[in-house]
Amino acid sequence: MLGVLSRSVSHGVLALRRALTWNSPYTHGIETKVTIEFRVVAGAKGTEVVLTHELLPVKEVEGHRRGWTEAIASCGRFFAAQPGTVAGTQAARSTGAAAATH
């Protein structure tokens, strides 16, 4: 597993990025790379979540896109329901936010 964690500030945006390798029966033994980035934009409410899954077999891209998109949306719904959080977070309205590439 690749364990890269980085933090940066650019143009008023605080970003936390985590990269890791991903291998499952659906990658057919191919080691793929998942990068997830959390962006807090100055003055904005909520957090933008960007997930990129690279090196996937072409026939698995759409299934992974649907799976990751639902996972991010589920997290958004969970956090939106917690006391003291901003309802309707960026993640909760994720439609196609998970970018799966090959």
Side-chain angles (χ1 to χ4, degrees), residues 2-6 15-22 32-39 48-56 68 72 97-101:
L2 178 70
V4 178
L5 180 63
S6 63
L16 177 65
R17 180 180 299 127
R18 173 78 176 172
L20 54 109
T21 56
W22 180 272
T32 63
K33 179 183 175 186
V34 175
T35 304
I36 188 163
E37 186 172 352
F38 300 92
R39 299 177 184 166
E48 179 181 35
V49 178
V50 179
L51 188 142
T52 306
H53 195 157
E54 301 174 85
L55 308 173
L56 282 166
W68 284 122
I72 291 171
T101 61

Side-chain angles (χ1 to χ4, degrees), residues 9-25:
V9 179
S10 175
H11 304 290
V13 177
L14 172 64
L16 177 65
R17 180 180 299 127
R18 173 78 176 172
L20 54 109
T21 56
W22 180 272
N23 191 341
S24 77

Side-chain angles (χ1 to χ4, degrees), residues 71-95:
I72 291 171
S74 179
C75 288
R77 289 188 297 271
F78 172 80
F79 287 112
Q82 301 306 304
T85 63
V86 178
T89 61
Q90 295 266 348
R93 58 184 190 84
S94 166
T95 53

